[in-house]
Amino acid sequence: MGNKLLFGRVFKYGDSIDTDVIIPARYCTSFHAEELAPHALEDLDATFASRVQQGDIVVAGHNFGCGSSRENAPIAIKGAGASCVIARSFARIFYRNSINIGLPILIAPEAVDGIEDGDEVEVDPATGVIENKTRGGKWTADAFPPEIRNIMDNGGLVGYVKRRLAGMNT
Amino acid sequence: MNLAEKILAIHAGRDTVKPGDMVMAKLDMILGTDVTVPLSVEVFRNMGAEKVFDPNKMALVNDHFVPAKDVKAATLSLTMREFARDMKVPAYFEVGRSGICHSILPDNGLVRPGDLVVGADSHTCTYGALGAFSTGIGSTDMACAWAIGELWFRVPESTKVIVEGEFTPMVGPKDLILYIINKLGVEGARYQAIEFCGCAIEDMSMDGRITVCNMAIEAGAKTGLITPDRITRDFIENIYANPTPYTPKRGRDIGGEYGLYLESDCDAQYSQVLEVDLKDVEPQVSIPYLPSNTKPVGEVSDVAIHQVVIGSCTNGRIEDFRAAAKILGDKPVHPDVRLIMIPATPQITEALIEEGLATQFLRAGAIISPPTCGPCIGGHMGILAKGEVGLFTTNRNFRGRNGHPESQVYLAGPEVAAATALTGRISDPREL
Ligand code: SF4
């Protein structure tokens, strides 16, 4: 997922933020980031899409991304400019989809406790280190299992499959 | 090993697996729908893939926004139609022959016991009803699965839910699963497989099992499974004896024609066990905005309802409509209520006609929709306006899912839904 440091202002939300509020189905006749992004989180926070700046960070409670399998959800969040999502826990399809499309997601319950809406936070996706620049505090997110790291280091699942396909053709 | 572990081990070519293991596993069936396929097609083309690994192990189903609700939806279906043609996919379901994917696949013999199934739809967990390990994935996952026929899985921990006893009158499988989800919580089984067992599950029909496994995801689960048994075998053999044009002509690689009838070992491991006695399960209603917010119907019975929907992959099967019909009798729908019936497949619509239910519903003042996801996903065929309140037999009541963000949906089974359609308020079917 790249080694660039991520830095941005935090948009903090609660538990069980579902994919229907992340991107309502009425917009899912498109799967392109530029069409989805203006509606990201619209039914939860109608001001998100207009306020979010490139690099900003979404922080949430338990079970982020529960509900539908729509990949439009991480695409909308990433497309709106958010650089990563930090949560206490993620729903599993959202977790898979985020890894597959290259939206960094970090599981870090203590960090969620120590970060408030509007704080400025720096994240190192390579090490999982999260630092609250506004009120102090430093945490390390759960490490990804080596197999998932391997997928991410190879450009996501698509990169992995491309290499497999190339192998099949030779 | 338990049932989920056994299926994953076989498909990963391993003797054993344990929770937490990461495995690459071979897939028997990959499901896509009009809403998720087009993105997968783009990813598939962009990665330079030309051929799918096996067109016989895919199903492409028009269900979410069909018959096309607008130009964009029509374009989604068009993309899927062209892809199906290019890749020569036999199990492409066109409007008129199509219906809600999670009824279409089982009813056409496209899922068998012991299969490993993925679908770019979160309710793919439904096929656990047939003893398959089946789970939802995203569109990028699906594109990769089409290309190589395999995906990575983390072997999940398993939760065992043991259901004993008999249903009391007017209580059905939907009430049971709403009750279970409430006990487990919206993420109580996150990442886990839920194995449903006990006498009540063994006695349950395939339609009922489909309702139960369908909502496993609503407790965060990766899949819900039921040990395949005589009822499963009867269901599968009946399809192979009366194949549809989409039923695979020959058995797939693993398990031959009729699938693999696996069961958990006596010493299988579970991370938690929930015991349910059906005598404690009353008609349930789940309150906005979480499916796990369930209460016995008596505790929510003064809520006025504008629209009742009976349908979806949870409750759009013939037994659901029979249950509703019993409660409707020859009474009319309440003047302030719109009652929308959505049979899950054209075959179920046909059964409504043959059994006289279609006439009964129309005379009561209900509308019968073509098979579609429609209002379940807030697509079309019954969207709620600001401030409106619905009672649906669907599986999710998240904010804004079924219409305006300030509309609300209560979830229930077909019995409560029918009773509510008659009175205009959330009603206990036992008190009519
Ligand atoms: S009926 Fe509803 S839950 Fe089922 S597949 Fe369609 S949209 Fe999804």
Side-chain angles (χ1 to χ4, degrees):
Chain A
M1 273 185 197
N3 294 322
K4 219 168 82 228
L5 286 183
L6 311 173
F7 177 79
R9 201 159 44 106
V10 164
F11 288 78
K12 190 169 178 184
Y13 302 106
D15 291 335
S16 290
I17 303 302
D18 60 79
T19 54
D20 279 290
V21 297
I22 295 174
I23 186 74
R26 58 184 179 275
Y27 303 120
C28 291
T29 46
S30 168
F31 49 83
H32 292 117
E34 62 280 9
E35 284 183 82
L36 297 170
H39 305 293
L41 289 164
E42 182 177 286
D43 287 357
L44 177 71
D45 173 0
T47 66
F48 173 80
S50 56
R51 288 190 296 138
V52 67
Q53 306 274 325
Q54 202 63 36
D56 283 352
I57 291 169
V58 174
V59 174
H62 286 288
N63 205 24
F64 188 86
C66 64
S68 124
S69 68
R70 64 188 71 151
E71 206 160 292
N72 319 56
I75 292 174
I77 290 177
K78 194 179 174 200
S83 61
C84 73
V85 183
I86 302 169
R88 288 182 205 279
S89 63
F90 290 90
R92 68 161 277 279
I93 307 179
F94 186 89
Y95 178 92
R96 274 188 94 100
N97 286 345
S98 300
I99 290 170
N100 288 344
I101 69 153
L103 172 68
I105 52 174
L106 296 102
I107 302 171
E110 288 82 23
V112 174
D113 290 334
I115 298 175
E116 297 301 327
D117 193 60
D119 287 358
E120 291 191 317
V121 166
E122 186 179 86
V123 174
D124 182 345
T127 59
V129 171
I130 300 166
E131 191 175 349
N132 190 336
K133 295 285 191 188
T134 305
R135 62 187 77 228
K138 210 172 187 176
W139 309 270
T140 306
D142 293 359
F144 285 107
E147 292 84 350
I148 292 186
R149 265 261 49 126
N150 185 31
I151 291 174
M152 295 191 314
D153 290 346
N154 282 289
L157 191 58
V158 170
Y160 171 84
V161 172
K162 268 187 179 163
R163 277 191 300 117
R164 282 265 308 248
L165 290 177
M168 282 177 190
N169 293 339
T170 51
Chain B
M1 288 187 289
N2 61 38
L3 179 55
E5 292 159 0
K6 284 187 182 181
I7 298 174
L8 283 175
I10 287 172
H11 289 81
R14 292 171 48 160
D15 293 337
T16 61
V17 295
K18 56 178 191 326
D21 287 355
M22 289 280 182
V23 296
M24 277 304 272
K26 288 197 174 7
L27 304 166
D28 295 300
M29 180 49 65
I30 304 161
L31 158 72
T33 73
D34 51 325
V35 81
T36 50
V37 162
L39 173 54
S40 300
V41 170
E42 189 172 283
V43 174
F44 185 81
R45 304 266 192 227
N46 286 347
M47 72 179 139
E50 281 159 18
K51 281 194 321 221
V52 295
F53 85 108
D54 184 350
N56 296 306
K57 292 181 180 172
M58 300 166 56
L60 300 172
V61 184
N62 279 292
D63 59 0
H64 279 68
F65 296 146
V66 299
K69 74 184 183 87
D70 55 27
V71 173
K72 283 185 164 182
T75 311
L76 294 178
S77 284
L78 178 62
T79 306
M80 182 161 79
R81 184 176 303 121
E82 290 175 346
F83 185 68
R85 195 191 306 134
D86 292 352
M87 297 296 148
K88 302 193 169 50
V89 178
Y92 167 72
F93 291 87
E94 188 53 274
V95 173
R97 283 78 82 195
S98 194
I100 297 173
C101 53
H102 306 311
S103 274
I104 286 286
L105 262 60
D107 289 358
N108 286 281
L110 292 160
V111 179
R112 307 159 311 163
D115 276 355
L116 178 60
V117 183
V118 293
D121 187 278
S122 59
H123 292 99
T124 302
C125 58
T126 307
Y127 316 130
L130 290 93
F133 185 106
S134 61
T135 191
I137 54 169
S139 292
T140 298
D141 270 325
M142 179 158 67
C144 295
W146 286 340
I148 61 172
E150 297 176 15
L151 276 182
W152 61 273
F153 296 90
R154 179 183 171 279
V155 177
E157 287 78 24
S158 290
T159 293
K160 188 174 191 166
V161 177
I162 308 169
V163 189
E164 303 290 357
E166 281 175 26
F167 282 111
T168 54
M170 307 289 178
V171 178
K174 180 64 166 291
D175 302 299
L176 170 63
I177 189 62
L178 290 177
Y179 179 90
I180 291 171
I181 289 165
N182 176 265
K183 294 279 174 235
L184 290 174
V186 70
E187 62 161 358
R190 194 166 44 82
Y191 283 121
Q192 304 210 6
I194 304 179
E195 188 175 321
F196 298 98
C197 57
C199 299
I201 301 290
E202 286 161 26
D203 290 344
M204 198 178 280
S205 69
M206 189 53 71
D207 283 9
R209 293 177 182 191
I210 283 175
T211 302
V212 168
C213 291
N214 177 266
M215 288 194 74
I217 173 110
E218 262 43 84
K222 184 168 192 164
T223 190
L225 297 106
I226 293 173
T227 305
D229 58 8
R230 186 183 44 77
I231 286 173
T232 325
R233 196 177 288 277
D234 288 350
F235 181 85
I236 297 279
E237 290 186 357
N238 180 47
I239 290 163
Y240 278 87
N242 306 287
T244 72
Y246 308 97
T247 308
K249 301 269 181 308
R250 52 178 181 80
R252 294 197 293 275
D253 300 350
I254 298 172
E257 200 102 52
Y258 295 107
L260 278 175
Y261 287 74
L262 302 168
E263 57 185 358
S264 296
D265 295 329
C266 307
D267 59 353
Q269 300 291 311
Y270 297 90
S271 59
Q272 56 179 339
V273 177
L274 173 69
E275 289 180 44
V276 175
D277 191 323
L278 281 180
K279 74 174 181 341
D280 303 326
V281 181
E282 291 188 77
Q284 302 284 311
V285 173
S286 109
I287 294 164
Y289 293 102
L290 276 182
S292 55
N293 275 346
T294 71
K295 287 205 160 70
V297 62
E299 293 178 30
V300 271
S301 53
D302 55 349
V303 179
I305 295 293
H306 307 104
Q307 179 172 297
V308 173
V309 173
I310 302 182
S312 84
C313 55
T314 322
N315 285 114
R317 299 188 61 88
I318 189 64
E319 285 182 9
D320 299 311
F321 294 104
R322 287 185 192 136
K326 226 187 239 165
I327 285 157
L328 291 175
D330 56 4
K331 295 184 279 298
V333 171
H334 188 277
D336 298 335
V337 174
R338 307 163 319 243
L339 172 58
I340 302 174
M341 305 290 210
I342 313 179
T345 67
Q347 291 69 37
I348 297 170
T349 308
E350 202 180 319
L352 292 186
I353 295 168
E354 273 169 11
E355 296 183 19
L357 302 183
T359 309
Q360 181 189 350
F361 294 158
L362 293 173
R363 289 201 179 138
I367 184 167
I368 303 176
S369 156
T372 181
C373 295
C376 174
I377 193 175
H380 60 336
M381 295 287 174
I383 304 304
L384 297 176
K386 182 175 178 178
E388 286 193 317
V389 184
L391 184 135
F392 291 14
T393 67
T394 55
N395 46 36
R396 287 192 177 133
N397 53 355
F398 299 140
R399 185 190 299 273
R401 178 171 173 92
N402 313 94
H404 193 280
E406 284 169 48
S407 62
Q408 292 192 321
V409 166
Y410 290 78
L411 304 176
E415 295 86 353
V416 171
T420 300
L422 293 175
T423 62
R425 306 195 153 261
I426 294 180
S427 294
D428 186 338
R430 298 168 302 185
E431 287 174 4
L432 284 186

